[in-house]
Amino acid sequence: MPVQLDAFYLFVAISAIAVGVFVWVALSTRRPRDAGRAAATRVRTWFFGVLAAGLLGGLAWTVPHLPYPRQAQTPDRVVYAVGMQYAWGLSTDPITTPDEWQNSTFADPIEIPAGSLVEFRVTSFDVNHGFGVYSPSRRLLGEVQAMPGYVNRLRLRLTVPGTYWVFCMELCGMGHHLMRGEFEVVPR
Ligand SMILES: [Cu+2]
């Protein structure tokens, strides 16, 4: 998996820099010497400036990506998702009983128009499950816990048409690996 390898190389590079800094400090402080107050203040001011710029830059870069403004939007579609050992029931109508859940697992995959903001209302009728939505190219798009007695919401804007998969993200028993669901995103 290329992403994992990239993360590994990044880890090795950062580790090498950290070790280099430790070695440099160890070698450069073997003899005591006077640093000088003015020079030390200059280094501190510079360090503070770089740190502040980095933090503010990081803030400006990441804050627009927070999902909170999405809560103010009205979803285009609501999908009810119920986990039970060992399948996901997905329906555009509320699933309130194990019978309705069973019918939903045998029904044709639901269809969602491309570009819709979808709100998944996720719960479980037995034990805790993990509700993970995968794109047609098998990328994990979002995840929320499915807990008996609670309804957790997950909002995703689904733009790419194709078959989407729901896999269980939490080991829930012997048939956990079989626990999947699917739905279609269709072109408008
Ligand atoms: Cu499960």
Side-chain angles (χ1 to χ4, degrees):
M1 294 296 279
V3 177
Q4 275 88 333
L5 264 188
D6 288 350
F8 175 70
Y9 291 139
L10 188 67
F11 167 76
V12 169
I14 291 173
S15 303
I17 291 170
V19 169
V21 168
F22 274 103
V23 170
W24 177 70
V25 169
L27 292 178
S28 67
T29 53
R30 289 208 293 186
R31 277 177 231 290
R33 65 191 161 88
D34 190 15
R37 213 170 170 68
T41 305
R42 261 200 308 282
V43 170
R44 273 184 202 163
T45 308
W46 181 84
F47 181 65
F48 177 79
V50 168
L51 209 61
L55 287 173
L56 287 175
L59 205 62
W61 182 38
T62 53
V63 161
H65 296 288
L66 286 175
Y68 302 121
R70 246 179 275 164
Q71 291 305 322
Q73 292 175 277
T74 310
D76 304 311
R77 282 283 187 289
V78 173
V79 172
Y80 298 87
V82 175
M84 243 181 125
Q85 290 165 327
Y86 293 102
W88 284 105
L90 299 170
S91 176
T92 49
D93 297 317
I95 301 169
T96 52
T97 64
D99 279 345
E100 288 175 359
W101 168 82
Q102 186 145 36
N103 290 340
S104 71
T105 64
F106 287 116
D108 288 335
I110 56 173
E111 295 188 346
I112 295 163
S116 303
L117 178 64
V118 184
E119 179 174 291
F120 294 95
R121 297 188 184 164
V122 182
T123 190
S124 162
F125 283 166
D126 48 19
V127 299
N128 273 13
H129 299 280
F131 178 82
V133 178
Y134 283 78
S135 75
S137 58
R138 298 292 171 102
R139 271 187 80 108
L140 178 62
L141 299 177
E143 187 186 347
V144 74
Q145 211 176 20
M147 303 151 77
Y150 294 84
V151 177
N152 290 327
R153 291 157 199 251
L154 174 68
R155 284 183 176 183
L156 295 172
R157 190 174 290 285
L158 302 174
T159 50
V160 181
T163 302
Y164 286 65
W165 296 92
V166 174
F167 291 119
C168 187
M169 309 299 280
E170 197 168 312
L171 186 59
C172 60
M174 292 295 285
H176 161 73
H177 60 290
L178 303 170
M179 192 164 164
R180 55 170 79 171
E182 71 176 281
F183 62 90
E184 300 285 334
V185 170
V186 293
R188 267 185 201 274

